[in-house]
Amino acid sequence: MGTSGGPGSRRVGRPRVARRPDSGLEPRAELLAAAAELFTTRGYSATTTRAVAERAGMRQASMYHYVSGKEELLAELLESTVTPSLAYARELLADDTTPAEERLRKLCRADVELLCAGPHNLGGLYLLPEVRAERFAGFHAVRAELKDAYRQLLAATAAGGALAKGELDLRTDLVFGLIESVILVHRSDPERPVSVFAEATADAALRIAGI
Amino acid sequence: MGTSGGPGSRRVGRPRVARRPDSGLEPRAELLAAAAELFTTRGYSATTTRAVAERAGMRQASMYHYVSGKEELLAELLESTVTPSLAYARELLADDTTPAEERLRKLCRADVELLCAGPHNLGGLYLLPEVRAERFAGFHAVRAELKDAYRQLLAATAAGGALAKGELDLRTDLVFGLIESVILVHRSDPERPVSVFAEATADAALRIAGI
DNA sequence: ATTATCTATAGATCTATAGATAATGC
DNA sequence: ATTATCTATAGATCTATAGATAATGC
């Protein structure tokens, strides 16, 4: 199953017509990277299968050797934007030795870092209107679980414990909204150093939470 | 020039094939409303001229009697989402009898109300990736001016006056980001009473601002 | 023989124009 | 005569499949 292989190991199959420096990625990963860039900058529907394939260095039809179409690419990219944060959120929820305030701060910071990580503002995929389609219900479920983790941590803080349900929901929405707004802010200024930004956003989130 | 005319006044021209209860809107306004709904829910590129026209009650080709194409519709809708807020922001900047904190709060509240106004989450248009195109530079200019109004108000507050330039920019981004995040929050829960939400968001914005 | 790619293309759109038509206005 | 609409359609895509081809593997 060897990966794309070390230098010198020639690949099986007809050679690509556009030979380029080996990206070191598997063809499927090349397609995902190409899709990430195009979907986030031009949008999903505006991106053709030809554009994705060609950016990945192959012809349009060759793409179908690896994926069933655009939808599959988007679905996979979407999940990759929440899964790591969710895993971390679960860890934090299970940790009952650390104060909730601190855990909430950690989650905010990590979430912002993850949303801003990578070259293509992947978090921005979530803003695509097409994502609402039933096809992506899996992603929405994961995202709802992440939001619920925020709610639970918020409820466990001193300030949050005093809130009525409606109030807690509103605060959760505001905090979660602020975290997601980093997608927009990051989009408008991708140069900003992420760690400072993550810290400042976590601060802001805790202030909104009332801490 | 009479508008669509009072009841009973028949319209000139071949009748539409799909007769429907008079919406009371001019044909161009009907097209804009249809585009607003479709662009915000399905996205811009995913929306065909046929879909827009038919939702507006006419055939695809008839649309070209009123607009040059989809682009024109999006451009007009976009501007309509910032222009009112910007007008209000200018008023507030000119008013030097009211404390900056209060003016900032007012701008936040008004901006949220406007973003959530109307049936179709119009603010969400700004999230469309296609909006980055050069074609919409006009919109971006207006939006940048609105953001600058936030910056100026922020700088005029007691807390903001103490900030270095980089710090002020970061705060501005966070506050502006929070305001825009209402688009996302409103999208996920359109039922929430807007005035409460606007108040809570303004609160949150001022806390982020450090007030 | 197996594989990854290619070229070619059918079928399904989608946009924007041309030209016909069915109202009102004079 | 003027107008708002219609029907029809040319030209330009775009997707997904069929089948050919150029490598390596045995």
Side-chain angles (χ1 to χ4, degrees):
Chain A
M1 185 59 105
T3 68
S4 69
S9 92
R10 305 248 179 73
R11 306 184 65 248
V12 173
R14 180 172 176 172
R16 293 187 179 175
V17 65
R19 239 165 291 114
R20 299 192 307 185
D22 187 347
S23 72
L25 296 173
E26 298 279 339
R28 193 164 208 279
E30 288 182 301
L31 288 167
L32 284 165
E37 172 170 357
L38 294 167
F39 291 169
T40 52
T41 56
R42 303 185 194 179
Y44 176 72
S45 299
T47 300
T48 65
T49 54
R50 156 163 280 121
V52 173
E54 228 117 70
R55 169 132 336 201
M58 65 186 75
R59 291 298 170 84
Q60 187 257 342
S62 304
M63 186 178 114
Y64 291 85
H65 192 68
Y66 298 102
V67 290
S68 62
K70 281 200 297 178
E71 275 204 344
E72 187 176 325
L73 289 168
L74 180 54
E76 181 154 339
L77 288 169
L78 275 175
E79 307 243 354
S80 77
T81 63
V82 242
T83 313
S85 292
L86 180 57
Y88 187 49
R90 283 178 177 147
E91 264 180 50
L92 288 171
L93 281 179
D95 168 11
D96 49 7
T97 68
T98 310
E101 285 77 4
E102 192 180 327
R103 286 183 287 159
L104 181 56
R105 169 183 292 275
K106 283 184 167 186
L107 180 55
C108 290
R109 218 188 299 132
D111 210 355
V112 172
E113 302 251 15
L114 285 163
L115 282 173
C116 295
H120 298 129
N121 201 2
L122 265 194
L125 293 176
Y126 153 66
L127 305 178
L128 299 171
E130 291 88 348
V131 169
R132 290 206 198 80
E134 181 56 32
R135 167 74 175 81
F136 304 109
F139 163 72
H140 288 115
V142 180
R143 206 175 142 265
E145 199 187 329
L146 178 59
K147 186 168 177 176
D148 198 62
Y150 273 94
R151 181 182 290 108
Q152 289 185 50
L153 286 177
L154 210 46
T157 64
L163 298 174
K165 175 166 185 320
E167 267 296 315
L168 178 64
D169 287 348
L170 179 56
R171 292 289 169 102
T172 305
D173 282 352
L174 287 171
V175 168
F176 202 59
L178 177 73
I179 299 298
E180 294 196 320
S181 79
V182 306
I183 298 166
L184 304 175
V185 177
H186 181 58
R187 182 193 269 184
S188 79
D189 177 10
E191 301 310 320
R192 189 199 313 277
V194 174
S195 65
V196 179
F197 181 41
E199 196 60 44
T201 309
D203 268 1
L206 291 194
R207 272 188 231 159
I208 292 178
I211 294 168
Chain B
M1 185 59 106
T3 65
S4 69
S9 94
R10 305 249 181 71
R11 307 184 65 249
V12 173
R14 180 172 177 172
R16 293 186 180 176
V17 66
R19 241 165 289 116
R20 298 193 305 186
D22 187 347
S23 71
L25 297 172
E26 299 278 339
R28 192 164 208 277
E30 288 182 300
L31 287 167
L32 284 165
E37 172 170 359
L38 294 167
F39 291 170
T40 51
T41 56
R42 303 186 194 178
Y44 177 72
S45 299
T47 300
T48 65
T49 53
R50 156 163 279 121
V52 173
E54 228 117 71
R55 168 132 337 202
M58 65 187 76
R59 292 298 171 84
Q60 187 257 343
S62 304
M63 185 178 113
Y64 291 86
H65 192 68
Y66 298 103
V67 291
S68 62
K70 281 201 295 180
E71 275 203 345
E72 188 177 324
L73 289 169
L74 180 54
E76 182 154 338
L77 289 169
L78 275 175
E79 307 242 353
S80 77
T81 63
V82 241
T83 314
S85 292
L86 181 56
Y88 187 49
R90 282 177 179 150
E91 263 179 52
L92 288 170
L93 281 178
D95 168 11
D96 49 8
T97 69
T98 311
E101 285 78 4
E102 192 181 327
R103 285 183 286 158
L104 181 56
R105 168 184 294 277
K106 283 184 166 188
L107 180 55
C108 290
R109 218 188 298 134
D111 210 355
V112 172
E113 302 252 14
L114 285 163
L115 282 174
C116 295
H120 298 129
N121 200 2
L122 264 193
L125 292 176
Y126 152 66
L127 305 177
L128 299 171
E130 292 88 348
V131 169
R132 291 207 198 79
E134 181 56 33
R135 167 72 174 84
F136 304 107
F139 164 72
H140 288 115
V142 179
R143 205 175 143 266
E145 199 186 330
L146 177 60
K147 185 169 179 178
D148 198 63
Y150 273 94
R151 180 181 292 109
Q152 288 183 51
L153 286 177
L154 210 47
T157 64
L163 298 175
K165 175 164 184 323
E167 267 297 315
L168 178 64
D169 286 349
L170 179 55
R171 293 287 171 104
T172 305
D173 281 353
L174 287 171
V175 168
F176 202 59
L178 177 73
I179 298 299
E180 295 196 320
S181 79
V182 307
I183 298 165
L184 305 176
V185 177
H186 181 58
R187 180 193 270 184
S188 79
D189 177 10
E191 301 310 321
R192 191 199 310 279
V194 174
S195 66
V196 179
F197 181 41
E199 196 60 44
T201 309
D203 268 1
L206 291 194
R207 272 188 231 158
I208 293 178
I211 295 168

